[in-house]
Amino acid sequence: MSSTLLTPAAVQAHRDPNVRRWLTAYTCSMLGDSVYYLALSWAAVRAGTAAQAGLVMSASALPRAVLMLGGGVIADRLGPRRVVIGSDALRCAAVLAVAALLYLTSPGLWPLALLALVFGTVDAVFVPAVGALPARVTGKDQLARVQGMRGLAIRFASVVGAPLGGLGVAVGGACAAFALAGLLIAVSVPLLLSVRIRELPADRAAGPRATARADLAAGLRYIRGHRVLAPLMLAIALGDLGFVGPLNVGLTLLADHRGWGASGMGWVLAGFGVGAGAASLLLTLRGRLPRAGLVAGVTIVVGSLAVGALAYAPGLWAAVGTALLVGLLTGLSGAMCGALLQTQADPAYLGRVTAVSSLISLGFTPLSMPLAAAAIGVWGLGPVYLVSAFVCALGGVVALVVPALRRAELPA
């Protein structure tokens, strides 16, 4: 195992080879995820009906949501790097096993459904550990920059992963695509082993450990009683709840209603991606924005206005420009919220704090998508977008009216 860093990072995060190794590992893992999901959807459609393929694709969601809080406890008890390495190794083995099975035979839907369940279960541990790892890779003063770098990695993986998976399918079918996904995830393991870890006070804590259930209860009490984290979680929940529906199912219906077609929807999504990428690049280069709590609140409120305006854009290119603004503002607010979570949380609770925020974003807020679709069918696009924008704005209002959150700063 690599040596332990005892002092904060001496250089800016984007110039630090140690952080770059972590970022490369994270990017490879996210690329593997993107290729995996494309391979899974392709294999499921080829092996069964559309309804059956939908069930296979959603099989990851339940274990991820149910087990996420427990995953945060595991990340805090075992250490995030150990958990991330183990999770990536398990995901790699599961994906490569299915690739080998598809190469040897045509087993139908059951191994795909089992793979989805395994992936969702491991993700419940992987996601909190990934969120807790940056604080051990660099100093607190560099965490906002790392959030920007992480955002760039996510955007890169989403842009490159789909065509890379499509190439794998074209060359060798789902088997080749799964193999490619497994190999990309596998690359992250030796890179993570080479990353030096900065020891935190929580890592030196001694004494008897409580039960996992007691650890979970303690983490939830810690968040509930924290002057910044408690309102920040509420702001994140409201912001995501108002944002997810309009930018997912709502956008599909909007493009269809306006006659923009799939290509038009692609342009709108590209505009959003460019804006979000610009926000991540700004944070990567600048490293820190002063008055982080205030910036988060203002960008959530202004971003919510842009979300509401999207339904009333007079044409496709106006919608693309509006989506770019939405991406820029939500990218900034998301990075500020993520950096505040990292810097405000006690290191001993960081895995559980990340688990709660991830559960909000990945478990609860996607439930707004079917609700948004049903509401659009009853009341139309405009009213639903406005209500969603109002809910999103409430998250910014929370950040602005709670003094401790509004005045929260990132370390200089």
Side-chain angles (χ1 to χ4, degrees), residues 8-289:
V11 297
Q12 294 175 335
H14 64 297
R15 301 179 188 277
D16 184 352
N18 192 55
V19 176
R20 289 177 178 174
R21 286 194 296 273
W22 163 81
L23 183 67
T24 304
Y26 181 72
T27 303
C28 288
S29 185
M30 292 300 99
L31 270 174
D33 275 7
S34 295
V35 175
Y36 155 76
Y37 281 112
L38 188 142
L40 183 67
S41 63
W42 178 265
V45 168
R46 296 296 297 270
T49 66
Q52 290 171 330
L55 289 174
V56 169
M57 292 301 297
S58 62
S60 295
L62 182 60
R64 185 189 295 119
V66 171
L67 301 174
M68 184 75 74
L69 295 180
V73 173
I74 293 173
D76 284 335
R77 290 171 76 95
L78 300 182
R81 183 174 71 162
R82 185 184 302 175
V83 172
V84 170
I85 291 172
S87 300
D88 269 347
L90 282 173
R91 298 192 309 159
C92 172
V95 172
L96 291 179
V98 170
L101 190 63
L102 291 176
Y103 179 76
L104 296 172
T105 184
S106 299
L109 285 170
W110 70 265
L112 302 177
L114 181 61
L115 175 63
L117 286 170
V118 170
F119 226 80
T121 301
V122 177
D123 262 359
V125 182
F126 174 79
V127 171
V130 163
L133 192 55
R136 290 168 169 82
V137 175
T138 190
K140 274 193 171 186
D141 60 318
Q142 294 296 311
L143 284 174
R145 196 187 301 274
V146 168
Q147 287 295 115
M149 297 167 70
R150 187 177 173 186
L152 287 174
I154 292 171
R155 294 296 156 198
F156 176 81
S158 64
V159 171
V160 175
L164 196 59
L167 179 62
V169 169
V171 170
C175 170
F178 276 127
L180 177 60
L183 292 175
L184 284 168
I185 296 173
V187 170
S188 69
V189 174
L191 286 170
L192 286 169
L193 287 171
S194 71
V195 171
R196 292 171 296 155
I197 296 299
R198 191 170 65 96
E199 193 173 73
L200 299 178
D203 303 324
R204 296 189 294 270
R209 301 299 301 264
T211 65
R213 184 174 181 178
D215 276 355
L216 176 57
L220 296 176
R221 285 196 303 272
Y222 171 75
I223 295 171
R224 188 173 64 245
H226 199 285
R227 296 170 62 247
V228 174
L229 294 179
L232 182 58
M233 291 294 184
L234 179 58
I236 291 172
L238 290 169
D240 284 353
L241 192 63
F243 169 80
V244 169
L247 264 294
N248 286 275
V249 63
L251 183 58
T252 303
L253 296 174
L254 179 64
D256 181 66
H257 179 74
R258 294 292 186 85
W260 298 338
S263 62
M265 184 178 71
W267 278 109
V268 176
L269 287 173
F272 172 80
V274 169
S280 297
L281 182 61
L282 172 65
L283 286 170
T284 298
L285 297 177
R286 186 174 175 84
R288 178 182 181 271
L289 295 180

